[in-house]
Amino acid sequence: MTTTRTSRASWLLLVPALGLLAVVLLTPLIQSFFRSIGTPEFTLEHYASLFTDGVTMTVLGRTALTAVIVTVVAFLLGYPYAYLMTRVGPRLRGVLLVIVLIPFWTSVMARNYAWIVLLQRGGPVQSVFEFFGVTDVSFQGSVVGVTIAMSQVLLPFMVLPLFSSLGAIDRKLLLAARGLGSSPLVAFWKVYWPLSRGGVVSGLILVFTLSLGFYVTPALLGSPQQSLIAQLLAQRTTQLLDFAGAGALGILVLVITLALVAWANRFGGTISALGVASTSQTKDQ
Amino acid sequence: MTATVPAARRPRRRDRGVDPIPWWLVVVGTLVALYFILPTLIVIPLSFSSASAFEFPPKDFSLRWYENFFTDPIWLGSLGNSFLVAILAALIATVVGTAAAVGLNRLTGRFAGFLRTLLMVSMVTPAIVVAVAVYISFLQWHLVGTLQGYVLAHAALGVPFVLVSVTTALGGFDPKLLRASASLGAPPFRSFLRVTMPLISRGVLTGAIFAFVTSFDEVVIALFLRAPTFQTLPVQMYNSVTFELDPTISASSSLVVVVVTVIFLVPLLIGSRKKTR
């Protein structure tokens, strides 16, 4: 008797949250789905045109390519950083963790503004490259600039799952491999790398997925000729007022994203990594 | 304190001898750390520049962008709107999210797990997809450009953060305490206020702070909900780098970075005070 009463009360506690979710997220998404298949009446032409209009697939391809580059950059920088975090003492590890979290709490617009200033023509980053003799590279209005700025903010999503997976590896195994005569590189490749693969996969999927939906950074640092999928979506909605077409494109992006997130979740990446990010103050002090 | 230092050091020194951290790893790590903090580092010196162009490093220093910020009704109005929206959104997200976390904590089974995932899903949904869908629906419901529209949208974004931090806090909560309180005659709601709440208060506070900051800093949905009569600070910052090229954004950026950092330090300070006590 008491258990059914508490369980009914527990279900009731969920009602406000689910109501809010229904108004802000579910109803708009469901409406846009029905609009995309029901304008003017039931049709799949809005989905078909995504594949045939010549623009969407080009932009989607460019977005995927940008996401791949961002993911590779984040991996190349994130793996050594996460490894370093597992090697230093607890106090320095705390400092390194706080540094990882800084992009999270630097305001989105402040961060993008800083990158605009750093990457602009004649700006400090270009000067550094010119100093080393590289003069023909431009950062503002190019994919390179977008990649630099996007990798910076997505790097935590690579480092955090990597850190939790590298931290669980027993370093005695490496010493054992060395003791049996293997070189450091072979010990890494045969012993350490396979054990870290779970974190690697979830980090890769997570960063790739999140970079697909970036809107502000490409809009500010990229160029209209090199627009990414999020800009196309915004343009269809606010400028072309093609709500049905925008709905179809939005649903496509959403389905791709959720499928990839679900895949990453199987490796224990997504939600737990975000959980680490939001509760790290309580966990790692 | 002095007695523990050599004891803590000894194993580390031995560790270093057997398997040292390679020098190139330290170099790479330092460079990556620099990359993490670079934008944050330049924002504050930039705001004291006297030049009207976006230039770094600044040549002369002045307070003119701060003066602009605090005298321009558009900037101040956006700041006020951002605070108003963020406070209301955080309030709603905290109440709603705490209730959901307490409810989910007592429930088991596949359906409860599904609902938890559903409540977390906005964390991984691309903001632009939500923004576009919300914009079109809110147009029909006449919520675009209204305070209610902003508060509803931002409150929904804050719920997952409250859910995560309250759930973590509830993880260390012993349900026997509630039974004890009930056996002493407390009705459930009073037990919640007098027993549960004090024990999970830090989780609730952390969640509320995350919900506040999420709303205060949110720009993608806000760009779609904006109206000439109502816009938030991140939207005004966006305008200032796209159409207006207004360097007042540098003052506003530093203020936001400092305010948010201070807000994030609050639970840390409360936590460390509790620990030393």
Side-chain angles (χ1 to χ4, degrees), chain B residues 38-219:
Chain B
L38 190 64
T40 315
L41 275 187
I42 76 148
V43 154
I44 290 170
L46 204 58
S47 69
F48 292 106
S49 167
S50 64
S52 57
F54 297 172
E55 63 168 22
F56 189 85
K59 292 188 182 69
D60 280 305
F61 292 92
S62 83
L63 289 173
R64 59 190 286 203
W65 307 123
Y66 287 93
E67 201 186 313
N68 265 16
F69 184 84
F70 286 109
T71 50
D72 187 334
I74 294 178
W75 282 101
L76 275 186
S78 317
L79 178 69
N81 289 341
S82 275
F83 266 113
L84 185 63
V85 170
I87 287 169
L88 293 175
L91 209 66
I92 294 175
T94 307
V95 172
V96 162
T98 304
V102 171
L104 281 173
N105 192 47
R106 290 197 226 140
L107 293 168
T108 48
R110 199 169 286 178
F111 189 59
F114 169 73
L115 290 184
R116 176 183 293 276
T117 311
L118 194 64
L119 288 170
M120 302 287 288
V121 89
S122 69
M123 263 182 162
V124 288
T125 313
I128 185 69
V129 174
V130 181
V132 164
V134 163
Y135 169 69
I136 300 173
S137 290
F138 277 24
L139 269 182
Q140 287 174 18
W141 304 339
H142 304 289
L143 285 170
V144 169
T146 64
L147 176 66
Q148 295 91 312
Y150 277 96
V151 170
L152 276 176
H154 283 181
L157 291 186
V159 168
F161 293 101
V162 179
L163 199 62
V164 167
S165 60
V166 176
T167 303
T168 311
L170 282 168
F173 178 76
D174 187 353
K176 281 191 210 109
L177 292 173
L178 283 184
R179 238 173 289 149
S181 148
S183 73
L184 293 170
F189 189 65
R190 193 191 295 166
S191 297
F192 175 75
L193 281 186
R194 303 290 288 271
V195 181
T196 313
M197 228 10 221
L199 288 167
I200 63 169
S201 60
R202 225 185 130 209
V204 174
L205 180 69
T206 309
I209 286 171
F210 270 91
F212 178 89
V213 171
T214 303
S215 164
F216 192 72
D217 194 34
E218 202 284 325
V219 59

Side-chain angles (χ1 to χ4, degrees), chain A residues 122-137:
Chain A
V125 172
Q126 205 170 30
S127 310
V128 169
F129 274 80
E130 273 166 13
F131 180 79
F132 289 106
V134 187
T135 49
D136 56 343
V137 60

Side-chain angles (χ1 to χ4, degrees), chain A residues 79 161-162 164-174 187-201:
Chain A
Y79 198 94
L162 274 177
S164 68
S165 112
L166 296 187
I169 297 175
D170 189 349
R171 294 192 52 76
K172 289 195 198 92
L173 294 172
L174 275 181
F188 171 80
W189 186 243
K190 288 264 170 86
V191 179
Y192 199 84
W193 172 252
L195 288 170
S196 69
R197 223 161 353 182
V200 172
V201 173

Side-chain angles (χ1 to χ4, degrees), chain A residues 2-20:
Chain A
T2 39
T3 44
T4 51
R5 236 175 63 204
T6 41
S7 109
R8 192 173 303 155
S10 305
W11 289 113
L12 280 177
L13 285 172
L14 291 174
V15 170
L18 292 171
L20 187 62

